[in-house]
Amino acid sequence: MKTTRKLLALLLAGVMTASLLAGCSSSPSTSSSGSGSSSGETVEGEKIFRRSTLQQATNMNPHQGGDAGSIEVSDYVQAKLYRVVYNEDKTASVPGPELAASEPTTEDGYTWTIKLDPNAKWANGEPITADDFMYSWEMALNPQLANTTTSGLAKNHIQVENAYEYYMQLSTGVPVEWEDVGFKKVDDLTLTVTTSEKYSARDVMYHFCMRYTGPVYKEMYEAGMDANRTSTTYGTSAEEYMSSGPFKLDTWVKGTEVTMSKNENYCHADEIILDGMTVRTVPDENTQIQLFQNGEIDYLSLGTNGLEVFGEDPRTQEYPSTTLRSIQINTENPDKPYLGNLNFKKALYYGINREELANALNYIPAAYFLPTPYVAYSDGTLFRDIPEANAYIPENNGYDPDLAKELFDKALEETGVDKVSITVIYSETVPALRTASEYIQNELTQLFGADRFELKLQSMAQSALLDIMRSSQSGPTNTWDLGWSAWDLTAAQLYPNRKFEPYTSTDSRRFAPYNSPELDALYAESISEECRLDEKKRIEVTMEMEKLVIDNVLEIPVYQQQAYVIHSDRCILPSDVRVNTIGWGWAYMDIDLTK
Amino acid sequence: MMTEKEIYDIPQEKFRFINLDDTLHDEKFSGEALGFFKDAWVRLRRNRVAILAMSMILFIVFMSIFAPMFSGYGYNDQNLNRLNMPPRVPGLEKIGIFDGSKTVNSVRKTSLSDPEKFPEGSVIEILREYTIKDVEMVDVKVNAYIYEGIGDEYFLMGTDYLGRDLWTRLWRGARISLIIAIVAVSANIFIGVVYGAVAGYYGGTTDIIMMRITEIIAAFPQVIVATLLILVLGTGIEAIILALVINGWIGTAKLVRGQFLRFKEREYVLAARTLGVPDKKLIFRHILPNSIGPVITRAMISVPNAIFSESFLAFIGLGLQAPEPSIGVLLSDAQKVLLTYPTQTLFPAILISVLLISFNLFGNGLRDAFDPTMRGTD
């Protein structure tokens, strides 16, 4: 009995050690050397760009699936009327025609005529006509179909006459006929779009660059429709999707891999060098690193581990991301009136050593609201490069411990509280947020003193976090105090004033009770006709808004993410720099088969 | 041989008194008198594996109480100048293990001569030289303590992503894990014993209803219960303990009920009842002590299960409120950097393995020790 037990214990220990060692040794040798790795034996071959993504694609229907994984694939297989292309020296992006033959024309700024390229074709060779667009737009805005992403077709860069009213008619109860919506077919190759306000041609082109404005293939769209016409299976598998972009969707194994090949029927097919592209879903950073090291993928986005592994590798490229992380304040919390105290909010703003934190995370300290890649003017000038836009940002990235302490004392005095006890909520899916929260907790507690300041951390699922924070939209709530958020509005990359839209007091996306009439007024001014047509004026108003938001601490900006990526040697990118809205230009890249 | 008659007919004078001057004693017991626990202890003591396991548990408990006090670092002392330091142990460093060295990958060869990046004496050896895009690159092994410029410090298990001492955090984490496990198990045992005793003693309809209730509760998957609880209560010790208690007591309840069904019809219970002993006293004084052995054994085996469940929840992101560590939280953080800093995973993994094996072996030892059929066999 005893000996068996002893033997068993020994055996167990042995097995454990063995499994530990096996786990260590097997990792570098798991995958065989990749198909395209090194030693130039075949110069002939297919030019396939292989990459991996963290999230899987879920839906190719341009009217659905606004998730990152779907968009990453959809961008290459879905054509639109217009697209963003490189400027002459390939350092910035400008809008240009894709399925359209030329820029939109207008006589009054309200009615825009768009001519289609006669060569515009589906991947199966059938021509794309005005009817395809009319059908697609009608379906996109169809109130029964409840498409999640298409309200942007009605109003985003431009507002199309009656389109939003048509889209929303079930909830508003005011019936609108499709005939009254500002989309009209003139002939097979001509469309007109009537807007409810005056816009520029640039606005119109950017509007029709969006994925959800692209055409859908009527036959498949109808075939996938359910009996009540409330949803369609279009775009949920490779067989139920018709490509129109630079590549066509060949196979799509859900959650595993998407393969695409060059679309010979694409109207700009002569610009495409690649033979194809594969996108693998690999939800783990470490696995991606190993795939890259084994030469199985050509592109890698580096996280903390990746930076550690690739260090000073000359292939590493970095660029500022548009994601800016900030802390929202529930200023109307009835249990904690000090959250609404301006001095208290300022004390938090000035108490965070953004630089030290950002260094540890390899990010950029941000005491401002508009991230660095946002473009101010149509010549490509970045908003943060304008000197006036930096004049009002507090020095030292908004870190001033003495001032913070002083403000904190004042805030306690004004609100008559001895001790502040607040909780910051953050999303568990973003590891950096926990690091940042723990850092801020430690720092502020030391600064203000543990007897007077207590900050608790609470992680939760992203969806729960949004629900809790947005519950303050329906009136004062005590469910949260501080919460991390990030706004990354695509539209704001080119129209920085749009960044402040979710901060206006009636916007349905707002996180915290901002309630700033001054900001509402400024925002309304920034989207007025005058500002739309005069970008200098628009940027001036945008700066005023940013200054107002910083002075009143509507939220506490902390850091802007910095992206680090690495391309394999085989990749010949069209431009050395990453360009706003085009990215690295993978659609136009070349592959060096000798490497 | 004398006949029966002759025996009766022995004359009186043939009898004489003996031992008139001595005091009469009962015969002495040859062995020691053994109580229930003492008997179990005797048997446990002979089980060397169980004793080893017990000393291991005591050692870990001792360390988890005292190690954080004497480490010289707080469990939440951040320092962003010393992120992810490798372990460095005085003494061991001389023989080349845990000497504070780490590999820095993908360094440009020109950087090696830059004292800003690589201070004097930091480079131990160059592991690999290669070129990428015509740039000469090296992988080097460096003394991380000189490399980061923090000199003479010793982090026995290195530091984490905020520069916190992992030795302190590991023992603090062990403490939290043990507290969670012990509180959860005590609550489970308490609820389970009372519930099982009532159900088993009264039997009949009471028993049927109570047992159906346990079956309903047991049908909730633990992970889902835990997830929902944490969504409602937020992360933290209370939520995790509650998650472990919600359906953790059912096993104990069933075990105790079984014991009651066995003992409640015994004669001594009948006798006590006849004498008018109230139900409460019958349950807790007369019947329950019979099941104390299995209950203690079960408790011992539940502790590692609770530790493991806590680690599992932490690992899938339903952990404690940061910055509080637990073994699961440490493992969950460490696996994110498993490839770059394997030692961060190694130590918590070893600790949890040793803890689980020890509790299991000790639990097995206890089960044998309390086994009534083994009583007095050795």
Side-chain angles (χ1 to χ4, degrees):
Chain A
M1 181 83 185
K2 249 182 229 162
T3 29
T4 8
R5 219 179 299 136
K6 227 180 283 172
L7 268 177
L8 191 72
L10 264 177
L11 192 74
L12 265 177
V15 167
M16 285 211 30
T17 329
S19 64
L20 197 75
L21 291 176
C24 287
S25 65
S26 68
S27 36
S29 59
T30 37
S31 29
S32 58
S33 68
S35 52
S37 63
S38 72
S39 68
E41 66 279 22
T42 52
V43 185
E44 291 289 302
E46 291 214 303
K47 292 177 171 176
I48 309 282
F49 176 59
R50 304 151 310 168
R51 67 192 169 95
S52 64
T53 61
L54 292 168
Q55 287 158 305
Q56 61 162 319
T58 57
N59 201 331
M60 287 301 126
N61 180 354
H63 303 158
Q64 296 281 340
D67 57 290
S70 303
I71 290 172
E72 274 183 76
V73 176
S74 191
D75 275 349
Y76 296 93
V77 292
Q78 178 69 48
K80 291 88 55 187
L81 281 172
Y82 294 94
R83 58 177 176 164
V84 279
V85 290
Y86 285 113
N87 65 355
E88 269 165 32
D89 57 358
K90 296 191 172 178
T91 53
S93 65
V94 288
E98 186 168 24
L99 296 177
S102 56
E103 292 197 2
T105 54
T106 184
E107 283 173 7
D108 52 5
Y110 287 94
T111 304
W112 296 86
T113 307
I114 299 169
K115 287 266 179 202
L116 283 179
D117 190 329
N119 291 323
K121 286 194 184 89
W122 296 104
N124 65 1
E126 290 174 25
I128 299 176
T129 65
D131 287 319
D132 289 315
F133 276 98
M134 289 305 289
Y135 173 76
S136 176
W137 291 339
E138 189 178 348
M139 288 302 121
L141 296 176
N142 188 317
Q144 307 265 345
L145 276 168
N147 289 315
T148 48
T149 54
T150 49
S151 69
L153 173 62
K155 59 171 185 184
N156 184 18
H157 292 289
I158 63 170
Q159 187 160 354
V160 179
E161 195 177 43
N162 288 331
Y164 195 67
E165 288 76 3
Y166 179 78
Y167 176 67
M168 293 297 288
Q169 57 181 299
L170 288 185
S171 49
T172 57
V174 185
V176 180
E177 291 298 315
W178 173 244
E179 281 67 37
D180 298 332
V181 179
F183 293 119
K184 290 280 175 301
K185 172 194 171 183
V186 179
D187 59 51
D188 272 356
L189 292 177
T190 317
L191 290 156
T192 63
V193 178
T194 313
T195 56
S196 48
E197 288 175 63
K198 212 168 172 176
Y199 294 95
S200 66
R202 179 174 178 254
D203 295 334
V204 176
M205 284 195 283
Y206 273 128
H207 187 82
F208 290 106
C209 280
M210 305 310 278
R211 166 179 180 259
Y212 44 75
T213 65
V216 294
Y217 193 71
K218 184 172 179 177
E219 212 172 288
M220 290 180 185
Y221 202 89
E222 285 293 324
M225 198 76 89
D226 67 1
N228 305 326
R229 297 188 67 81
T230 53
S231 70
T232 173
T233 56
Y234 181 73
T236 53
S237 70
E239 290 71 38
E240 290 174 284
Y241 180 76
M242 182 61 77
S243 309
S244 51
F247 295 88
K248 61 175 195 280
L249 192 60
D250 290 336
T251 62
W252 176 11
V253 185
K254 289 269 170 68
T256 310
E257 193 177 41
V258 175
T259 61
M260 293 173 264
S261 60
K262 184 180 174 181
N263 178 3
E264 297 297 343
N265 288 314
Y266 179 55
C267 52
H268 304 281
D270 52 328
E271 294 171 28
I272 311 300
I273 309 165
L274 284 184
D275 292 313
M277 219 187 247
T278 60
V279 183
R280 284 167 76 168
T281 310
V282 183
D284 173 59
E285 196 204 346
N286 290 325
T287 318
Q288 290 199 353
I289 293 174
Q290 293 190 339
L291 287 175
F292 185 85
Q293 285 176 327
N294 292 331
E296 291 185 48
I297 52 175
D298 294 317
Y299 167 80
L300 182 66
S301 168
L302 305 179
T304 332
N305 287 329
L307 281 175
E308 203 68 48
V309 175
F310 290 100
E312 296 178 325
D313 195 306
R315 295 170 299 178
T316 313
Q317 289 165 296
E318 60 177 290
Y319 64 91
S321 140
T322 50
T323 306
L324 197 145
R325 299 271 174 197
S326 44
I327 301 174
Q328 303 287 338
I329 309 164
N330 182 12
T331 48
E332 288 181 353
N333 189 332
D335 298 348
K336 295 169 184 171
Y338 46 80
L339 285 171
N341 183 291
L342 183 60
N343 283 327
F344 179 71
K345 293 194 285 180
K346 279 191 169 169
L348 296 181
Y349 180 91
Y350 286 106
I352 298 171
N353 188 347
R354 294 176 178 78
E355 199 162 340
E356 197 183 34
L357 173 65
N359 275 343
L361 295 168
N362 291 311
Y363 288 152
I364 308 165
Y368 46 77
F369 279 76
L370 299 179
T372 49
Y374 280 12
V375 180
Y377 302 130
S378 44
D379 64 358
T381 309
L382 298 178
F383 182 82
R384 285 259 86 89
D385 288 349
I386 305 172
E388 294 86 23
N390 293 315
Y392 49 80
I393 299 174
E395 276 177 20
N396 201 8
N397 292 308
Y399 179 52
D400 190 339
D402 298 330
L403 179 63
K405 242 178 142 165
E406 201 183 305
L407 289 164
F408 185 73
D409 292 339
K410 229 188 259 175
L412 287 197
E413 208 173 290
E414 281 170 15
T415 49
V417 187
D418 298 332
K419 188 180 179 186
V420 167
S421 175
I422 46 182
T423 306
V424 61
I425 51 179
Y426 60 94
S427 160
E428 185 61 55
T429 41
V430 188
L433 286 183
R434 201 178 115 201
T435 313
S437 306
E438 286 183 81
Y439 174 78
I440 291 172
Q441 176 193 46
N442 195 39
E443 193 194 19
L444 291 183
T445 313
Q446 279 180 11
L447 184 64
F448 300 142
D451 51 333
R452 297 194 303 161
F453 183 85
E454 183 189 26
L455 182 64
K456 286 187 226 152
L457 308 185
Q458 181 74 64
S459 71
M460 51 180 72
Q462 174 76 16
S463 53
L465 183 93
L466 293 182
D467 283 350
I468 287 184
M469 287 171 70
R470 291 204 169 124
S471 67
S472 53
Q473 286 183 6
S474 48
T477 169
N478 60 0
T479 46
W480 64 285
D481 307 328
L482 302 179
W484 283 94
S485 73
W487 270 123
D488 191 6
L489 301 181
T490 327
Q493 294 184 14
L494 299 159
Y495 298 88
N497 58 309
R498 293 285 294 276
K499 161 91 178 181
F500 295 98
E501 195 176 348
Y503 295 83
T504 53
S505 32
T506 52
D507 194 275
S508 63
R509 292 163 295 177
R510 69 190 193 279
F511 287 120
Y514 305 115
N515 301 338
S516 166
E518 298 98 317
L519 185 73
D520 295 355
L522 281 172
Y523 183 72
E525 191 187 342
S526 82
I527 54 167
S528 67
E529 198 166 311
E530 186 195 357
C531 283
R532 264 206 316 275
L533 301 176
D534 178 359
E535 54 183 22
K536 269 243 142 52
K537 173 92 177 126
R538 183 171 64 219
I539 294 306
E540 272 170 32
V541 179
T542 308
M543 285 189 231
E544 267 181 69
M545 284 195 280
E546 191 176 35
K547 184 173 183 312
L548 180 88
V549 168
I550 292 178
D551 288 347
N552 290 315
V553 200
L554 285 203
E555 66 177 29
I556 307 162
V558 180
Y559 64 83
Q560 181 190 328
Q561 281 175 211
Q562 177 84 341
Y564 299 85
V565 302
I566 191 162
H567 284 93
S568 71
D569 280 347
R570 319 192 316 145
C571 302
I572 306 167
L573 296 172
S575 172
D576 291 337
V577 289
R578 188 180 188 277
V579 172
N580 232 339
T581 65
I582 299 186
W584 298 105
W586 288 328
Y588 313 109
M589 70 184 286
D590 193 3
I591 294 281
D592 184 349
L593 290 171
T594 58
K595 283 184 178 160
Chain B
M1 270 310 264
M2 286 200 283
T3 64
E4 196 178 339
K5 193 165 185 317
E6 280 167 341
I7 291 172
Y8 286 119
D9 288 344
I10 298 170
Q12 197 161 9
E13 56 277 13
K14 284 205 169 174
F15 289 97
R16 64 185 166 83
F17 291 103
I18 56 166
N19 287 341
L20 270 181
D21 309 324
D22 300 335
T23 328
L24 268 181
H25 292 283
D26 280 341
E27 195 182 339
K28 273 210 171 120
F29 280 116
S30 57
E32 232 180 303
L34 287 179
F36 177 70
F37 287 102
K38 193 141 196 198
D39 177 57
W41 171 239
V42 166
R43 248 170 298 134
L44 185 69
R45 221 169 30 190
R46 299 204 183 149
N47 183 343
R48 256 175 296 172
V49 175
I51 289 298
L52 186 72
M54 193 178 75
S55 354
M56 214 59 220
I57 295 169
L58 289 177
F59 172 72
I60 290 172
V61 169
F62 176 84
M63 287 304 280
S64 69
I65 295 172
F66 295 104
M69 292 181 193
F70 298 108
S71 69
Y73 301 100
Y75 77 97
N76 196 25
D77 285 356
Q78 300 174 9
N79 185 341
L80 302 191
N81 296 321
R82 49 172 209 221
L83 303 183
N84 295 315
M85 299 299 290
R88 186 187 193 192
V89 184
L92 282 183
E93 64 175 336
K94 298 208 174 62
I95 54 168
I97 37 174
F98 301 138
D99 55 355
S101 67
K102 71 166 181 179
T103 308
V104 181
N105 290 311
S106 302
V107 179
R108 291 179 192 226
K109 207 170 178 183
T110 48
S111 304
L112 288 182
S113 48
D114 179 358
E116 286 274 296
K117 285 181 180 159
F118 290 88
E120 181 88 34
S122 61
V123 178
I124 298 172
E125 67 172 308
I126 293 172
L127 299 170
R128 191 162 76 99
E129 293 192 47
Y130 50 99
T131 43
I132 299 175
K133 283 200 166 174
D134 304 326
V135 179
E136 283 187 71
M137 305 290 292
V138 285
D139 290 350
V140 287
K141 191 176 170 189
V142 297
N143 181 328
Y145 288 75
I146 304 177
Y147 177 65
E148 302 281 359
I150 58 165
D152 231 13
E153 302 223 32
Y154 285 86
F155 294 105
L156 301 182
M157 290 181 178
T159 63
D160 70 356
Y161 62 96
L162 279 168
R164 297 176 293 203
D165 180 33
L166 279 171
W167 166 263
T168 315
R169 281 180 74 75
L170 181 70
W171 292 116
R172 169 116 185 162
R175 183 195 298 179
I176 304 290
S177 289
L178 283 169
I179 289 176
I180 290 176
I182 288 165
V183 173
V185 167
S186 317
N188 280 341
I189 295 297
F190 179 75
I191 300 173
V193 162
V194 174
Y195 196 95
V198 171
Y201 180 77
Y202 290 107
T205 322
T206 323
D207 183 35
I208 288 174
I209 294 173
M210 287 178 90
M211 282 300 114
R212 293 304 85 77
I213 292 174
T214 62
E215 275 156 24
I216 292 169
I217 297 177
F220 302 144
Q222 199 189 21
V223 176
I224 293 178
V225 171
T227 314
L228 291 176
L229 262 177
I230 283 161
L231 273 182
V232 177
L233 297 177
T235 50
I237 292 191
E238 301 84 1
I240 288 187
I241 290 180
L242 207 56
L244 295 179
V245 169
I246 273 193
N247 49 15
W249 55 270
I250 288 168
T252 318
K254 288 192 169 153
L255 178 106
V256 174
R257 172 179 170 269
Q259 295 285 325
F260 267 73
L261 292 182
R262 224 174 103 194
F263 286 104
K264 73 172 179 183
E265 305 294 349
R266 293 280 174 93
E267 287 78 4
Y268 78 92
V269 178
L270 184 66
R273 194 182 284 132
T274 319
L275 289 172
V277 176
D279 282 356
K280 209 168 99 186
K281 210 166 173 191
L282 266 178
I283 293 176
F284 293 107
R285 190 88 193 89
H286 292 259
I287 309 180
L288 188 62
N290 285 305
S291 37
I292 211 79
V295 166
I296 291 180
T297 309
R298 195 184 158 78
M300 274 302 145
I301 291 177
S302 309
V303 169
N305 283 342
I307 294 176
F308 190 78
S309 301
E310 185 276 321
S311 298
F312 169 72
L313 288 176
F315 201 78
I316 59 170
L318 301 172
L320 299 170
Q321 246 174 32
E324 198 65 73
S326 75
I327 302 181
V329 168
L330 292 173
L331 277 172
S332 160
D333 290 342
Q335 66 93 18
K336 290 173 196 145
V337 292
L338 179 62
L339 283 182
T340 32
Y341 306 108
T343 52
Q344 292 193 14
T345 312
L346 184 68
F347 296 115
I350 290 179
L351 184 68
I352 196 170
S353 310
V354 169
L355 203 54
L356 297 201
I357 289 185
S358 302
F359 266 108
N360 276 316
L361 292 178
F362 183 56
N364 281 345
L366 274 187
R367 187 196 55 209
D368 294 347
F370 282 130
D371 187 348
T373 58
M374 311 259 286
R375 208 169 167 185
T377 49
D378 45 17

